[in-house]
Amino acid sequence: MTGARGVPADAPVVVAARRTWVGTVGHGHRALTEVDLAAGALRATLDDARSLGVADDPADVVLGCCTGPGGNVARVAALAAGAGVAVPGLTVDRQCASGLAAVLVAAQQVRAGEARLVLAGGTESASRAPARAHRTPWGDVPFERAAFAPVPWADPAMGAAADVLARRRGVPRARQEAYALRSHARALAAHRAGRLDAETVRLGAPRRALARDERARRLDPAVLARLAPAFSADGTVTAATASPVSDGAAAVAVVPERVRRDLDAPGLRVLTSATIGCDPALPGWGPVPAVRAVLARAGVALDDVAAVEVVEAFAAQVLAVTDALGLDPLGDAADDARVCADGGALALGHPWGASGALVVVRLFSRLVRAGAPAGTLGLATAAVGGGLGVAALVEVVR
């Protein structure tokens, strides 16, 4: 059975998408937990779905989260959002792609015929993340992060790995700084034009609730040029060309095409996706094989894609990936308009478990809310610590 224009009736479609404003760690959202953030995004998304006529209760809530306290954050957030006691929850950890992975799990549930509505996304409160320690006979031993890869594999921190990737792929510091300037300028322009308002929700006390993404600012090229390397003595990545540690959440509502058709609502059909491993020493490379796999599975070329959203963990990583894929957001006018057109994580912030879902929300705004015609394609992708890439290809349906 197929829906309008030959879309399969069980095809998963995003019909609502919302996010919080993103706060820098220790600042605007510092009083909110990962559950508070998620519940706000989930409530707004469910309200949007209800306003379209979706009557079903969510069959599940799937959320990405990297540094939360455990206890199945998705279930706790579902209850906090008022989704109902029968709604379960699943918490996903694919590090920086966790939110995107959660959306893909929801799409799989819908495509399998197991659900008529799934809420999915991600949440992260770096401000409220618990301290970590290993218990030993000699006492607790604190540690900063879990391993991304086991011995004897390389297990670099993401910043140091971005330095290595920049060196190996020939991405000089000047290009990284130019890209960071672009990201912040685009985000500020999007704020001024109100292009982010419809996708966001304010949380917290009215006088203290963030009214915009907190990090975006006007950058001075002369100041950027004076910054010291942030991760390696001989590196090229600086504090300005690395995304800020952040707090935030994002959520989408996924339904089958037959439900969307009955609602007569536009949406983003999840066409195909891929999760691919790569060398753990170069985790930022992951989107390259993932995007190539997605395009091959769909039988389309990257030139056919109108909007590309890359989780901007580091300017070096974005440029290494776009170079390899044949995109030039700094030099080609068409690519400049396609890649992270309203800025990305460098300027908006990078709440790890939420960022992969945030780029899906951005695609929803750039394509569905902006009135792109049916059949328009969008691409979301993220790199992952430990050497993974996740990518999803979506299509506007109306």
Side-chain angles (χ1 to χ4, degrees), residues 9-13 59 103-119 253-259:
D10 59 356
V13 183
V103 173
L104 299 179
V105 169
Q108 291 160 359
Q109 290 179 321
V110 167
R111 187 181 287 114
E114 296 179 354
R116 286 172 52 88
L117 171 65
V118 181
L119 300 181
V254 186
V255 302
E257 165 62 13
R258 61 179 173 272
V259 170

Side-chain angles (χ1 to χ4, degrees), residues 201-225:
V201 57
R202 295 177 66 171
L203 301 179
R207 285 188 294 177
R208 295 186 177 182
L210 289 183
R212 49 160 278 182
D213 298 302
E214 196 168 22
R215 187 70 170 186
R217 62 196 65 193
R218 190 185 69 81
L219 298 181
D220 184 340
V223 173
L224 266 59

Side-chain angles (χ1 to χ4, degrees), residues 19-21 28-45 63 65 68-69 72-82 122-129 201-205 247-251 354:
R19 68 177 180 93
T20 68
W21 295 113
H29 286 324
R30 65 185 179 276
L32 302 178
T33 68
E34 66 289 326
V35 168
D36 297 328
L37 295 164
L42 289 169
R43 276 193 297 267
T45 302
L63 292 178
C65 189
N72 193 359
V73 169
R75 166 63 173 174
V76 182
L79 292 172
T123 186
E124 204 75 70
S125 174
S127 296
R128 298 289 295 270
V201 57
R202 295 177 66 171
L203 301 179
D247 307 326

Side-chain angles (χ1 to χ4, degrees), residues 221-238:
V223 173
L224 266 59
R226 294 196 297 268
L227 293 176
F231 304 103
S232 311
D234 60 346
T236 55
V237 179
T238 69

Side-chain angles (χ1 to χ4, degrees), residues 134-155:
H134 292 297
R135 291 182 178 177
T136 74
W138 308 278
D140 293 347
V141 178
F143 67 97
E144 184 175 351
R145 67 167 175 88
F148 293 146
V151 176
W153 293 96
D155 183 26

